PDB file of all heavy atoms in Angstrom:
ATOM      1  N   LEU A1368      -6.872  10.473  -4.205  1.00 93.00           N
ATOM      2  CA  LEU A1368      -6.115   9.229  -4.085  1.00 93.00           C
ATOM      3  C   LEU A1368      -6.269   8.332  -5.310  1.00 93.00           C
ATOM      4  O   LEU A1368      -5.421   7.481  -5.570  1.00 93.00           O
ATOM      5  CB  LEU A1368      -6.552   8.470  -2.823  1.00 93.00           C
ATOM      6  CG  LEU A1368      -6.070   9.070  -1.500  1.00 93.00           C
ATOM      7  CD1 LEU A1368      -6.791   8.444  -0.327  1.00 93.00           C
ATOM      8  CD2 LEU A1368      -4.559   8.905  -1.351  1.00 93.00           C
ATOM      9  N   PHE A1369      -7.344   8.530  -6.065  1.00 92.00           N
ATOM     10  CA  PHE A1369      -7.551   7.727  -7.274  1.00 92.00           C
ATOM     11  C   PHE A1369      -7.031   8.425  -8.522  1.00 92.00           C
ATOM     12  O   PHE A1369      -6.637   7.753  -9.482  1.00 92.00           O
ATOM     13  CB  PHE A1369      -9.044   7.405  -7.445  1.00 92.00           C
ATOM     14  CG  PHE A1369      -9.590   6.484  -6.395  1.00 92.00           C
ATOM     15  CD1 PHE A1369     -10.216   6.986  -5.265  1.00 92.00           C
ATOM     16  CD2 PHE A1369      -9.450   5.115  -6.524  1.00 92.00           C
ATOM     17  CE1 PHE A1369     -10.706   6.136  -4.293  1.00 92.00           C
ATOM     18  CE2 PHE A1369      -9.943   4.256  -5.555  1.00 92.00           C
ATOM     19  CZ  PHE A1369     -10.566   4.766  -4.436  1.00 92.00           C
ATOM     20  N   GLY A1370      -7.030   9.734  -8.528  1.00 88.00           N
ATOM     21  CA  GLY A1370      -6.578  10.457  -9.706  1.00 88.00           C
ATOM     22  C   GLY A1370      -7.393  10.075 -10.926  1.00 88.00           C
ATOM     23  O   GLY A1370      -8.584   9.783 -10.849  1.00 88.00           O
ATOM     24  N   ASN A1371      -6.726  10.047 -12.086  1.00 88.00           N
ATOM     25  CA  ASN A1371      -7.394   9.674 -13.337  1.00 88.00           C
ATOM     26  C   ASN A1371      -6.971   8.292 -13.816  1.00 88.00           C
ATOM     27  O   ASN A1371      -7.179   7.944 -14.975  1.00 88.00           O
ATOM     28  CB  ASN A1371      -7.084  10.707 -14.421  1.00 88.00           C
ATOM     29  CG  ASN A1371      -7.640  12.073 -14.088  1.00 88.00           C
ATOM     30  OD1 ASN A1371      -8.774  12.186 -13.630  1.00 88.00           O
ATOM     31  ND2 ASN A1371      -6.836  13.112 -14.289  1.00 88.00           N
ATOM     32  N   ASN A1372      -6.377   7.517 -12.926  1.00 87.00           N
ATOM     33  CA  ASN A1372      -5.884   6.204 -13.306  1.00 87.00           C
ATOM     34  C   ASN A1372      -7.011   5.189 -13.422  1.00 87.00           C
ATOM     35  O   ASN A1372      -7.973   5.240 -12.647  1.00 87.00           O
ATOM     36  CB  ASN A1372      -4.896   5.690 -12.255  1.00 87.00           C
ATOM     37  CG  ASN A1372      -3.563   6.415 -12.303  1.00 87.00           C
ATOM     38  OD1 ASN A1372      -2.655   5.993 -12.988  1.00 87.00           O
ATOM     39  ND2 ASN A1372      -3.458   7.519 -11.573  1.00 87.00           N
ATOM     40  N   PRO A1373      -6.901   4.253 -14.369  1.00 91.00           N
ATOM     41  CA  PRO A1373      -7.869   3.147 -14.389  1.00 91.00           C
ATOM     42  C   PRO A1373      -7.690   2.304 -13.135  1.00 91.00           C
ATOM     43  O   PRO A1373      -6.584   2.157 -12.622  1.00 91.00           O
ATOM     44  CB  PRO A1373      -7.481   2.359 -15.648  1.00 91.00           C
ATOM     45  CG  PRO A1373      -6.036   2.682 -15.871  1.00 91.00           C
ATOM     46  CD  PRO A1373      -5.859   4.099 -15.411  1.00 91.00           C
ATOM     47  N   THR A1374      -8.775   1.784 -12.616  1.00 93.00           N
ATOM     48  CA  THR A1374      -8.670   0.911 -11.453  1.00 93.00           C
ATOM     49  C   THR A1374      -8.323  -0.503 -11.910  1.00 93.00           C
ATOM     50  O   THR A1374      -8.435  -0.850 -13.095  1.00 93.00           O
ATOM     51  CB  THR A1374      -9.984   0.868 -10.667  1.00 93.00           C
ATOM     52  OG1 THR A1374     -10.996   0.264 -11.484  1.00 93.00           O
ATOM     53  CG2 THR A1374     -10.417   2.276 -10.258  1.00 93.00           C
ATOM     54  N   LEU A1375      -7.912  -1.324 -10.954  1.00 94.00           N
ATOM     55  CA  LEU A1375      -7.621  -2.724 -11.267  1.00 94.00           C
ATOM     56  C   LEU A1375      -8.855  -3.416 -11.827  1.00 94.00           C
ATOM     57  O   LEU A1375      -8.775  -4.173 -12.798  1.00 94.00           O
ATOM     58  CB  LEU A1375      -7.138  -3.440 -10.002  1.00 94.00           C
ATOM     59  CG  LEU A1375      -6.851  -4.935 -10.126  1.00 94.00           C
ATOM     60  CD1 LEU A1375      -5.820  -5.230 -11.205  1.00 94.00           C
ATOM     61  CD2 LEU A1375      -6.401  -5.500  -8.773  1.00 94.00           C
ATOM     62  N   ALA A1376     -10.022  -3.145 -11.225  1.00 94.00           N
ATOM     63  CA  ALA A1376     -11.267  -3.737 -11.721  1.00 94.00           C
ATOM     64  C   ALA A1376     -11.558  -3.300 -13.152  1.00 94.00           C
ATOM     65  O   ALA A1376     -11.969  -4.116 -13.998  1.00 94.00           O
ATOM     66  CB  ALA A1376     -12.431  -3.365 -10.800  1.00 94.00           C
ATOM     67  N   ASP A1377     -11.331  -2.004 -13.460  1.00 93.00           N
ATOM     68  CA  ASP A1377     -11.514  -1.512 -14.838  1.00 93.00           C
ATOM     69  C   ASP A1377     -10.683  -2.341 -15.813  1.00 93.00           C
ATOM     70  O   ASP A1377     -11.177  -2.797 -16.851  1.00 93.00           O
ATOM     71  CB  ASP A1377     -11.058  -0.045 -14.956  1.00 93.00           C
ATOM     72  CG  ASP A1377     -11.991   0.930 -14.268  1.00 93.00           C
ATOM     73  OD1 ASP A1377     -13.176   0.591 -14.103  1.00 93.00           O
ATOM     74  OD2 ASP A1377     -11.521   2.023 -13.902  1.00 93.00           O
ATOM     75  N   HIS A1378      -9.415  -2.502 -15.477  1.00 93.00           N
ATOM     76  CA  HIS A1378      -8.496  -3.192 -16.382  1.00 93.00           C
ATOM     77  C   HIS A1378      -8.894  -4.652 -16.568  1.00 93.00           C
ATOM     78  O   HIS A1378      -8.906  -5.157 -17.707  1.00 93.00           O
ATOM     79  CB  HIS A1378      -7.072  -3.105 -15.832  1.00 93.00           C
ATOM     80  CG  HIS A1378      -6.055  -3.783 -16.688  1.00 93.00           C
ATOM     81  ND1 HIS A1378      -5.647  -3.291 -17.912  1.00 93.00           N
ATOM     82  CD2 HIS A1378      -5.367  -4.953 -16.504  1.00 93.00           C
ATOM     83  CE1 HIS A1378      -4.764  -4.109 -18.443  1.00 93.00           C
ATOM     84  NE2 HIS A1378      -4.581  -5.124 -17.612  1.00 93.00           N
ATOM     85  N   LEU A1379      -9.220  -5.339 -15.477  1.00 94.00           N
ATOM     86  CA  LEU A1379      -9.572  -6.759 -15.594  1.00 94.00           C
ATOM     87  C   LEU A1379     -10.867  -6.945 -16.374  1.00 94.00           C
ATOM     88  O   LEU A1379     -11.002  -7.913 -17.134  1.00 94.00           O
ATOM     89  CB  LEU A1379      -9.680  -7.383 -14.205  1.00 94.00           C
ATOM     90  CG  LEU A1379      -8.379  -7.442 -13.394  1.00 94.00           C
ATOM     91  CD1 LEU A1379      -8.590  -8.226 -12.106  1.00 94.00           C
ATOM     92  CD2 LEU A1379      -7.237  -8.060 -14.206  1.00 94.00           C
ATOM     93  N   HIS A1380     -11.807  -6.025 -16.198  1.00 94.00           N
ATOM     94  CA  HIS A1380     -13.038  -6.093 -16.997  1.00 94.00           C
ATOM     95  C   HIS A1380     -12.708  -5.967 -18.483  1.00 94.00           C
ATOM     96  O   HIS A1380     -13.237  -6.724 -19.319  1.00 94.00           O
ATOM     97  CB  HIS A1380     -14.015  -4.995 -16.576  1.00 94.00           C
ATOM     98  CG  HIS A1380     -14.826  -5.325 -15.364  1.00 94.00           C
ATOM     99  ND1 HIS A1380     -15.563  -6.485 -15.249  1.00 94.00           N
ATOM    100  CD2 HIS A1380     -15.007  -4.636 -14.198  1.00 94.00           C
ATOM    101  CE1 HIS A1380     -16.180  -6.503 -14.075  1.00 94.00           C
ATOM    102  NE2 HIS A1380     -15.850  -5.399 -13.420  1.00 94.00           N
ATOM    103  N   ARG A1381     -11.830  -5.009 -18.826  1.00 93.00           N
ATOM    104  CA  ARG A1381     -11.459  -4.827 -20.235  1.00 93.00           C
ATOM    105  C   ARG A1381     -10.749  -6.050 -20.799  1.00 93.00           C
ATOM    106  O   ARG A1381     -10.877  -6.363 -21.981  1.00 93.00           O
ATOM    107  CB  ARG A1381     -10.576  -3.590 -20.385  1.00 93.00           C
ATOM    108  CG  ARG A1381     -11.309  -2.274 -20.290  1.00 93.00           C
ATOM    109  CD  ARG A1381     -10.490  -1.134 -20.889  1.00 93.00           C
ATOM    110  NE  ARG A1381      -9.283  -0.900 -20.129  1.00 93.00           N
ATOM    111  CZ  ARG A1381      -9.191  -0.016 -19.128  1.00 93.00           C
ATOM    112  NH1 ARG A1381     -10.254   0.684 -18.771  1.00 93.00           N
ATOM    113  NH2 ARG A1381      -8.057   0.157 -18.488  1.00 93.00           N
ATOM    114  N   MET A1382     -10.000  -6.742 -19.937  1.00 92.00           N
ATOM    115  CA  MET A1382      -9.270  -7.928 -20.365  1.00 92.00           C
ATOM    116  C   MET A1382     -10.146  -9.180 -20.387  1.00 92.00           C
ATOM    117  O   MET A1382      -9.715 -10.237 -20.820  1.00 92.00           O
ATOM    118  CB  MET A1382      -8.082  -8.177 -19.426  1.00 92.00           C
ATOM    119  CG  MET A1382      -7.032  -7.064 -19.421  1.00 92.00           C
ATOM    120  SD  MET A1382      -6.156  -6.939 -20.997  1.00 92.00           S
ATOM    121  CE  MET A1382      -5.205  -8.460 -20.955  1.00 92.00           C
ATOM    122  N   GLY A1383     -11.375  -9.060 -19.908  1.00 93.00           N
ATOM    123  CA  GLY A1383     -12.276 -10.209 -19.892  1.00 93.00           C
ATOM    124  C   GLY A1383     -11.967 -11.212 -18.796  1.00 93.00           C
ATOM    125  O   GLY A1383     -12.362 -12.379 -18.881  1.00 93.00           O
ATOM    126  N   VAL A1384     -11.283 -10.773 -17.743  1.00 93.00           N
ATOM    127  CA  VAL A1384     -10.915 -11.680 -16.650  1.00 93.00           C
ATOM    128  C   VAL A1384     -12.139 -11.977 -15.788  1.00 93.00           C
ATOM    129  O   VAL A1384     -12.887 -11.072 -15.418  1.00 93.00           O
ATOM    130  CB  VAL A1384      -9.803 -11.049 -15.777  1.00 93.00           C
ATOM    131  CG1 VAL A1384      -9.544 -11.892 -14.531  1.00 93.00           C
ATOM    132  CG2 VAL A1384      -8.530 -10.895 -16.595  1.00 93.00           C
ATOM    133  N   THR A1385     -12.347 -13.248 -15.474  1.00 92.00           N
ATOM    134  CA  THR A1385     -13.474 -13.644 -14.625  1.00 92.00           C
ATOM    135  C   THR A1385     -13.031 -14.374 -13.363  1.00 92.00           C
ATOM    136  O   THR A1385     -13.797 -14.471 -12.409  1.00 92.00           O
ATOM    137  CB  THR A1385     -14.440 -14.564 -15.395  1.00 92.00           C
ATOM    138  OG1 THR A1385     -13.717 -15.719 -15.864  1.00 92.00           O
ATOM    139  CG2 THR A1385     -15.054 -13.834 -16.582  1.00 92.00           C
ATOM    140  N   ASP A1386     -11.810 -14.906 -13.343  1.00 93.00           N
ATOM    141  CA  ASP A1386     -11.311 -15.663 -12.190  1.00 93.00           C
ATOM    142  C   ASP A1386      -9.942 -15.124 -11.803  1.00 93.00           C
ATOM    143  O   ASP A1386      -9.124 -14.823 -12.671  1.00 93.00           O
ATOM    144  CB  ASP A1386     -11.209 -17.159 -12.506  1.00 93.00           C
ATOM    145  CG  ASP A1386     -12.562 -17.753 -12.858  1.00 93.00           C
ATOM    146  OD1 ASP A1386     -13.280 -18.158 -11.947  1.00 93.00           O
ATOM    147  OD2 ASP A1386     -12.893 -17.784 -14.067  1.00 93.00           O
ATOM    148  N   THR A1387      -9.684 -15.024 -10.497  1.00 93.00           N
ATOM    149  CA  THR A1387      -8.417 -14.478 -10.028  1.00 93.00           C
ATOM    150  C   THR A1387      -7.792 -15.387  -8.971  1.00 93.00           C
ATOM    151  O   THR A1387      -8.493 -16.041  -8.204  1.00 93.00           O
ATOM    152  CB  THR A1387      -8.603 -13.069  -9.428  1.00 93.00           C
ATOM    153  OG1 THR A1387      -9.651 -13.105  -8.450  1.00 93.00           O
ATOM    154  CG2 THR A1387      -8.948 -12.061 -10.509  1.00 93.00           C
ATOM    155  N   LEU A1388      -6.459 -15.383  -8.948  1.00 92.00           N
ATOM    156  CA  LEU A1388      -5.674 -16.106  -7.945  1.00 92.00           C
ATOM    157  C   LEU A1388      -4.894 -15.057  -7.173  1.00 92.00           C
ATOM    158  O   LEU A1388      -4.153 -14.272  -7.762  1.00 92.00           O
ATOM    159  CB  LEU A1388      -4.721 -17.087  -8.642  1.00 92.00           C
ATOM    160  CG  LEU A1388      -3.848 -17.964  -7.753  1.00 92.00           C
ATOM    161  CD1 LEU A1388      -4.700 -18.964  -6.992  1.00 92.00           C
ATOM    162  CD2 LEU A1388      -2.811 -18.690  -8.612  1.00 92.00           C
ATOM    163  N   ILE A1389      -5.068 -15.006  -5.857  1.00 93.00           N
ATOM    164  CA  ILE A1389      -4.511 -13.915  -5.056  1.00 93.00           C
ATOM    165  C   ILE A1389      -3.623 -14.468  -3.944  1.00 93.00           C
ATOM    166  O   ILE A1389      -4.013 -15.403  -3.237  1.00 93.00           O
ATOM    167  CB  ILE A1389      -5.642 -13.053  -4.456  1.00 93.00           C
ATOM    168  CG1 ILE A1389      -6.444 -12.404  -5.605  1.00 93.00           C
ATOM    169  CG2 ILE A1389      -5.077 -11.975  -3.531  1.00 93.00           C
ATOM    170  CD1 ILE A1389      -7.705 -11.713  -5.168  1.00 93.00           C
ATOM    171  N   MET A1390      -2.434 -13.880  -3.836  1.00 87.00           N
ATOM    172  CA  MET A1390      -1.510 -14.281  -2.772  1.00 87.00           C
ATOM    173  C   MET A1390      -0.661 -13.083  -2.397  1.00 87.00           C
ATOM    174  O   MET A1390      -0.584 -12.109  -3.156  1.00 87.00           O
ATOM    175  CB  MET A1390      -0.613 -15.427  -3.258  1.00 87.00           C
ATOM    176  CG  MET A1390       0.297 -15.051  -4.422  1.00 87.00           C
ATOM    177  SD  MET A1390       1.038 -16.478  -5.238  1.00 87.00           S
ATOM    178  CE  MET A1390      -0.344 -17.025  -6.247  1.00 87.00           C
ATOM    179  N   GLY A1391      -0.014 -13.147  -1.246  1.00 84.00           N
ATOM    180  CA  GLY A1391       0.886 -12.050  -0.898  1.00 84.00           C
ATOM    181  C   GLY A1391       0.946 -11.767   0.577  1.00 84.00           C
ATOM    182  O   GLY A1391       0.447 -12.514   1.410  1.00 84.00           O
ATOM    183  N   GLN A1392       1.562 -10.662   0.890  1.00 82.00           N
ATOM    184  CA  GLN A1392       1.776 -10.198   2.256  1.00 82.00           C
ATOM    185  C   GLN A1392       0.805  -9.043   2.528  1.00 82.00           C
ATOM    186  O   GLN A1392       0.717  -8.119   1.726  1.00 82.00           O
ATOM    187  CB  GLN A1392       3.224  -9.715   2.402  1.00 82.00           C
ATOM    188  CG  GLN A1392       3.540  -9.038   3.707  1.00 82.00           C
ATOM    189  CD  GLN A1392       4.916  -8.375   3.695  1.00 82.00           C
ATOM    190  OE1 GLN A1392       5.790  -8.710   2.911  1.00 82.00           O
ATOM    191  NE2 GLN A1392       5.104  -7.398   4.564  1.00 82.00           N
ATOM    192  N   VAL A1393       0.057  -9.083   3.584  1.00 86.00           N
ATOM    193  CA  VAL A1393      -0.019 -10.096   4.624  1.00 86.00           C
ATOM    194  C   VAL A1393      -1.242 -10.948   4.344  1.00 86.00           C
ATOM    195  O   VAL A1393      -2.296 -10.423   4.003  1.00 86.00           O
ATOM    196  CB  VAL A1393      -0.109  -9.431   6.008  1.00 86.00           C
ATOM    197  CG1 VAL A1393      -0.467 -10.424   7.101  1.00 86.00           C
ATOM    198  CG2 VAL A1393       1.207  -8.735   6.346  1.00 86.00           C
ATOM    199  N   SER A1394      -1.134 -12.258   4.511  1.00 88.00           N
ATOM    200  CA  SER A1394      -2.164 -13.175   4.032  1.00 88.00           C
ATOM    201  C   SER A1394      -3.552 -12.866   4.575  1.00 88.00           C
ATOM    202  O   SER A1394      -4.538 -12.996   3.845  1.00 88.00           O
ATOM    203  CB  SER A1394      -1.790 -14.618   4.382  1.00 88.00           C
ATOM    204  OG  SER A1394      -1.693 -14.791   5.786  1.00 88.00           O
ATOM    205  N   TYR A1395      -3.658 -12.465   5.834  1.00 90.00           N
ATOM    206  CA  TYR A1395      -4.984 -12.263   6.413  1.00 90.00           C
ATOM    207  C   TYR A1395      -5.382 -10.790   6.485  1.00 90.00           C
ATOM    208  O   TYR A1395      -6.400 -10.443   7.078  1.00 90.00           O
ATOM    209  CB  TYR A1395      -5.086 -12.903   7.799  1.00 90.00           C
ATOM    210  CG  TYR A1395      -4.112 -12.370   8.823  1.00 90.00           C
ATOM    211  CD1 TYR A1395      -4.477 -11.352   9.692  1.00 90.00           C
ATOM    212  CD2 TYR A1395      -2.822 -12.885   8.918  1.00 90.00           C
ATOM    213  CE1 TYR A1395      -3.590 -10.852  10.620  1.00 90.00           C
ATOM    214  CE2 TYR A1395      -1.926 -12.400   9.849  1.00 90.00           C
ATOM    215  CZ  TYR A1395      -2.315 -11.383  10.708  1.00 90.00           C
ATOM    216  OH  TYR A1395      -1.425 -10.896  11.629  1.00 90.00           O
ATOM    217  N   TYR A1396      -4.585  -9.889   5.875  1.00 91.00           N
ATOM    218  CA  TYR A1396      -4.970  -8.488   5.787  1.00 91.00           C
ATOM    219  C   TYR A1396      -5.070  -8.063   4.314  1.00 91.00           C
ATOM    220  O   TYR A1396      -6.112  -8.186   3.694  1.00 91.00           O
ATOM    221  CB  TYR A1396      -4.016  -7.581   6.574  1.00 91.00           C
ATOM    222  CG  TYR A1396      -4.426  -7.446   8.024  1.00 91.00           C
ATOM    223  CD1 TYR A1396      -3.614  -7.915   9.041  1.00 91.00           C
ATOM    224  CD2 TYR A1396      -5.643  -6.871   8.363  1.00 91.00           C
ATOM    225  CE1 TYR A1396      -4.009  -7.807  10.376  1.00 91.00           C
ATOM    226  CE2 TYR A1396      -6.036  -6.756   9.686  1.00 91.00           C
ATOM    227  CZ  TYR A1396      -5.220  -7.231  10.683  1.00 91.00           C
ATOM    228  OH  TYR A1396      -5.617  -7.126  11.989  1.00 91.00           O
ATOM    229  N   CYS A1397      -3.990  -7.557   3.734  1.00 92.00           N
ATOM    230  CA  CYS A1397      -4.075  -7.042   2.359  1.00 92.00           C
ATOM    231  C   CYS A1397      -4.514  -8.110   1.366  1.00 92.00           C
ATOM    232  O   CYS A1397      -5.346  -7.851   0.495  1.00 92.00           O
ATOM    233  CB  CYS A1397      -2.734  -6.443   1.946  1.00 92.00           C
ATOM    234  SG  CYS A1397      -2.387  -4.846   2.722  1.00 92.00           S
ATOM    235  N   ALA A1398      -3.937  -9.321   1.478  1.00 93.00           N
ATOM    236  CA  ALA A1398      -4.315 -10.376   0.533  1.00 93.00           C
ATOM    237  C   ALA A1398      -5.780 -10.749   0.712  1.00 93.00           C
ATOM    238  O   ALA A1398      -6.519 -10.927  -0.274  1.00 93.00           O
ATOM    239  CB  ALA A1398      -3.412 -11.596   0.718  1.00 93.00           C
ATOM    240  N   LEU A1399      -6.217 -10.864   1.971  1.00 96.00           N
ATOM    241  CA  LEU A1399      -7.631 -11.179   2.219  1.00 96.00           C
ATOM    242  C   LEU A1399      -8.531 -10.040   1.770  1.00 96.00           C
ATOM    243  O   LEU A1399      -9.562 -10.265   1.106  1.00 96.00           O
ATOM    244  CB  LEU A1399      -7.849 -11.476   3.700  1.00 96.00           C
ATOM    245  CG  LEU A1399      -9.311 -11.626   4.133  1.00 96.00           C
ATOM    246  CD1 LEU A1399     -10.002 -12.751   3.371  1.00 96.00           C
ATOM    247  CD2 LEU A1399      -9.416 -11.852   5.635  1.00 96.00           C
ATOM    248  N   GLU A1400      -8.184  -8.803   2.116  1.00 97.00           N
ATOM    249  CA  GLU A1400      -9.022  -7.667   1.740  1.00 97.00           C
ATOM    250  C   GLU A1400      -9.153  -7.563   0.219  1.00 97.00           C
ATOM    251  O   GLU A1400     -10.224  -7.248  -0.306  1.00 97.00           O
ATOM    252  CB  GLU A1400      -8.450  -6.373   2.312  1.00 97.00           C
ATOM    253  CG  GLU A1400      -8.519  -6.268   3.831  1.00 97.00           C
ATOM    254  CD  GLU A1400      -9.895  -5.870   4.334  1.00 97.00           C
ATOM    255  OE1 GLU A1400     -10.790  -5.617   3.516  1.00 97.00           O
ATOM    256  OE2 GLU A1400     -10.067  -5.795   5.568  1.00 97.00           O
ATOM    257  N   THR A1401      -8.060  -7.825  -0.493  1.00 96.00           N
ATOM    258  CA  THR A1401      -8.117  -7.796  -1.961  1.00 96.00           C
ATOM    259  C   THR A1401      -9.014  -8.912  -2.480  1.00 96.00           C
ATOM    260  O   THR A1401      -9.764  -8.729  -3.453  1.00 96.00           O
ATOM    261  CB  THR A1401      -6.701  -7.921  -2.543  1.00 96.00           C
ATOM    262  OG1 THR A1401      -5.962  -6.732  -2.208  1.00 96.00           O
ATOM    263  CG2 THR A1401      -6.718  -8.073  -4.062  1.00 96.00           C
ATOM    264  N   SER A1402      -8.977 -10.071  -1.831  1.00 97.00           N
ATOM    265  CA  SER A1402      -9.852 -11.179  -2.221  1.00 97.00           C
ATOM    266  C   SER A1402     -11.314 -10.836  -1.965  1.00 97.00           C
ATOM    267  O   SER A1402     -12.195 -11.193  -2.760  1.00 97.00           O
ATOM    268  CB  SER A1402      -9.464 -12.443  -1.460  1.00 97.00           C
ATOM    269  OG  SER A1402      -8.143 -12.823  -1.740  1.00 97.00           O
ATOM    270  N   VAL A1403     -11.573 -10.139  -0.863  1.00 98.00           N
ATOM    271  CA  VAL A1403     -12.941  -9.701  -0.562  1.00 98.00           C
ATOM    272  C   VAL A1403     -13.435  -8.754  -1.650  1.00 98.00           C
ATOM    273  O   VAL A1403     -14.561  -8.886  -2.150  1.00 98.00           O
ATOM    274  CB  VAL A1403     -13.001  -9.017   0.830  1.00 98.00           C
ATOM    275  CG1 VAL A1403     -14.315  -8.261   1.015  1.00 98.00           C
ATOM    276  CG2 VAL A1403     -12.815 -10.054   1.932  1.00 98.00           C
ATOM    277  N   GLY A1404     -12.584  -7.812  -2.049  1.00 97.00           N
ATOM    278  CA  GLY A1404     -12.959  -6.896  -3.128  1.00 97.00           C
ATOM    279  C   GLY A1404     -13.198  -7.621  -4.438  1.00 97.00           C
ATOM    280  O   GLY A1404     -14.146  -7.314  -5.171  1.00 97.00           O
ATOM    281  N   ALA A1405     -12.331  -8.597  -4.739  1.00 97.00           N
ATOM    282  CA  ALA A1405     -12.491  -9.369  -5.977  1.00 97.00           C
ATOM    283  C   ALA A1405     -13.800 -10.148  -5.957  1.00 97.00           C
ATOM    284  O   ALA A1405     -14.522 -10.204  -6.960  1.00 97.00           O
ATOM    285  CB  ALA A1405     -11.300 -10.318  -6.150  1.00 97.00           C
ATOM    286  N   ALA A1406     -14.132 -10.755  -4.814  1.00 98.00           N
ATOM    287  CA  ALA A1406     -15.374 -11.532  -4.710  1.00 98.00           C
ATOM    288  C   ALA A1406     -16.592 -10.634  -4.863  1.00 98.00           C
ATOM    289  O   ALA A1406     -17.536 -10.972  -5.594  1.00 98.00           O
ATOM    290  CB  ALA A1406     -15.413 -12.259  -3.367  1.00 98.00           C
TER     291      ALA A1406
END
Side-chain angles (χ1 to χ4, degrees):
L1368 287 167
F1369 292 95
N1371 296 317
N1372 287 269
T1374 65
L1375 177 57
D1377 288 336
H1378 180 71
L1379 295 187
H1380 278 307
R1381 285 199 295 267
M1382 297 293 291
V1384 172
T1385 58
D1386 299 273
T1387 52
L1388 182 68
I1389 297 171
M1390 63 194 79
Q1392 172 190 339
V1393 169
S1394 61
Y1395 60 94
Y1396 273 116
C1397 286
L1399 172 59
E1400 292 281 357
T1401 293
S1402 299
V1403 166

